[in-house]
């Protein structure tokens, strides 16, 4: 088994071509400015445009090129084992509202795809959360009961269509899977047809709430808008208020065709063994592509991601004889410390600024739900679950104080410990011993320096201090990126921002000074 080299674009990104949009080059004034071109931002823009508002979308890179472009494409209201947790933390009514809102988002995806005539390989299939070990059965029985009480068509089963036995599973009927970028391509085409303006390669660096709000880009151009929506995965411009209520995790993804006649009959997930999430999607030749996610880890912790890909590949070959690996990528998600996504008014940013984040790996239903909910808030509608997802909620945060404090302690530990680690030979040894493709954080002139040796043997050096809140980055050896362990910012080997909340690149350093 020989794993692929540096991960490339996802299967979804390779098989759907989006139109290109130029950067914003002149000041603008609109009813609503949406920051972020993933499923949450584009869904919100689409809902607002359909409501008759003039809308502008501002994307720092390419549309759907971030978290959305690297998802697995599941559209389901069964989110691993969330309902028993929700019932325990927030009560039965909260679990019921969560189920009904996520189910409404699923139905909306099906309706929109049908209305727009989008061919996005949408298939209605059951979703299952399973365990192989007997000691996980009791928890799944409780989850099945909680999900059923919340209103889902849920049951506990011991038989599945997987090619290996399970000890038990929660099964929810009539969920969906699709090609997420094919779906969003239809949304984008309709947005353009309806007169919305879309700009790529336009990084927003500031938002001032008010009436109107002022949105400022890196090039100094200003957009005035009555409403602003921050749909950037991590909530930028919240002055660290929401950052403290979010934890980051990253999942590795591999994909490849299964031998003819093999399929698994649904969508599956288990938390065992570092997590495994499975689904298939149809290929043009009639085969099925297995999409497998797992080996979850926190970014910036120095995890051996190359080894993680190897474990995922070995697992797929063992469970699916004849599986052939031909795609691999990675996805990053964030979760709120009280389990619930954060959708609604952005705290401290003014009454007309909204945010959508904290989807915990279920951003497809979450992003569509966010579009519906924010559009309702902007236009004066009343959604029964608005209070459930309100980022300004207090009671839920109090009930989850333990998880909140743990997240802050973890960030604090990294802030101190990582600096101490650089006082020795470096986090991954001295620069002189770096092999090609490796990276390490060392001290240079008394300051932490992130150093990478590329495949040609040349060194690239940047500051190791994250430009968000000052934690030290660590090297991801599979994706060859620098990642912050505190809030998940990601940077290229030359310091460019790949993923926020950081807005500024890592400062360059001269390799000759090492």
């Amino acid at each position: 088994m020989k794993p692929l080299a540096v991960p490339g674009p996802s299967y979804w990104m390779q098989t759907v071509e989006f139109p290109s949009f130029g950067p914003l080059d002149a000041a603008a004034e609109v009813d609503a400015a949406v920051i972020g071109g993933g499923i949450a931002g584009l869904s919100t823009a689409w809902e607002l445009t359909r409501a008759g508002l003039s809308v502008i979308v501002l994307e720092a890179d390419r549309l759907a090129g971030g978290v959305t472009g690297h998802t697995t494409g599941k559209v389901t209201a069964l989110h691993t084992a969330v309902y028993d947790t929700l019932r325990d933390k927030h009560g039965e009514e909260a679990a019921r509202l969560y189920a009904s809102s996520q189910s409404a988002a699923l139905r909306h995806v099906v309706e929109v795809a049908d209305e727009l005539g989008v061919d996005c390989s949408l298939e209605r299939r059951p979703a299952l959360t399973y365990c192989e070990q007997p000691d996980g059965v009791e928890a799944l029985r409780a989850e099945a009961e909680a999900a059923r009480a919340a209103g889902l068509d849920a049951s506990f089963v011991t038989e599945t269509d997987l090619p290996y036995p399970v000890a038990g599973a929660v099964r929810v009927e009539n969920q969906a899977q699709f090609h997420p970028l094919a779906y969003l391509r239809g949304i984008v085409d309709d947005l353009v047809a309806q007169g919305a303006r879309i700009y790529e390669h336009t990084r927003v660096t500031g938002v001032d709430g008010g009436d109107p709000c002022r949105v400022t880009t890196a090039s100094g151009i200003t957009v005035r808008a009555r409403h602003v929506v921050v749909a950037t995965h991590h909530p930028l411009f919240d002055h660290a208020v929401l950052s403290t209520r979010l934890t980051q995790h990253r999942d590795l993804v591999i994909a490849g065709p299964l031998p003819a006649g093999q399929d698994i009959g649904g969508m599956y997930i288990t938390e065992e063994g570092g997590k495994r999430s499975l689904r298939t999607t149809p290929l043009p030749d009639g085969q099925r592509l297995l999409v497998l996610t797992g080996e979850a880890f926190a970014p910036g912790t120095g995890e051996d991601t190359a080894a993680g890909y190897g474990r995922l590949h070995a697992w797929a070959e063992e469970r699916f004889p004849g599986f052939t690996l031909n795609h691999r990528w990675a996805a990053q998600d964030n979760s709120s410390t009280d389990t619930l996504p954060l959708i609604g008014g952005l705290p401290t940013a003014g009454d007309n600024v909204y945010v959508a984040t904290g989807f915990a790996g279920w951003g497809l239903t979450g992003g569509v739900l966010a579009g519906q909910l924010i559009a309702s808030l902007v236009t004066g509608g009343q959604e029964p679950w608005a209070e459930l997802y309100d980022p300004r909620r207090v009671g839920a945060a109090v009930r989850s104080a333990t998880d909140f404090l743990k997240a802050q302690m973890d960030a604090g530990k990294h802030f101190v410990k990582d600096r101490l680690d650089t006082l020795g030979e470096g986090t991954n040894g001295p620069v002189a011993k770096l092999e090609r493709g490796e990276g390490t954080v060392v001290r240079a002139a008394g300051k932490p320096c992130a150093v990478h040796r590329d495949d040609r043997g040349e060194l690239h050096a940047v500051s190791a201090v994250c430009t968000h809140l000052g934690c030290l980055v660590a090297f991801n050896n599979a994706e060859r990126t620098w990642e912050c362990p505190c809030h998940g910012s990601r940077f290229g080997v030359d310091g460019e921002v790949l993923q926020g909340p950081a807005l500024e690149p890592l400062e360059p350093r001269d390799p000759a000074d090492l």
Side-chain angles (χ1 to χ4, degrees), residues 287-319:
Q287 286 186 282
R288 305 286 301 190
L289 183 81
L290 177 68
V291 181
L292 171 63
T293 306
E295 297 298 319
F297 65 97
T301 53
E303 193 83 14
D304 187 347
T305 48
Y309 275 115
R311 289 190 295 271
L312 204 58
H313 188 184
W315 189 92
E317 289 186 319
E318 176 189 354
R319 303 303 179 93

Side-chain angles (χ1 to χ4, degrees), residues 16 27 52 86 89 104 133 152 187 199 211 213 262 375 380 427 495 506:
V16 168
L86 286 174
K89 282 187 176 183
Q133 301 304 317
L152 298 182
I187 292 287
Y199 296 95
D211 191 13
C213 303
Q262 288 193 23
T427 57
L506 300 175

Side-chain angles (χ1 to χ4, degrees), residues 375-387:
S376 177
L377 294 172
V378 167
T379 58
Q382 298 291 325
E383 294 289 353
W385 38 76
E387 186 176 347

Side-chain angles (χ1 to χ4, degrees), residues 150-212:
L152 298 182
D153 184 7
S155 60
F156 177 82
V157 300
T158 55
E159 298 290 334
T160 74
D161 289 326
L162 290 170
Y164 51 89
V166 303
V170 183
R171 179 182 174 115
V172 174
E173 305 296 339
N174 206 30
Q175 303 301 286
Q177 57 186 26
F178 70 165
H179 191 308
L181 268 59
Y183 173 81
L184 284 180
R185 173 62 197 263
I187 292 287
V188 169
D189 289 345
D190 195 59
L191 275 171
V192 173
Q194 296 296 323
R197 288 179 281 171
I198 300 175
Y199 296 95
E200 295 179 315
H201 307 293
T202 302
R203 185 174 296 279
V204 173
T205 55
V207 173
D208 293 326
D211 191 13

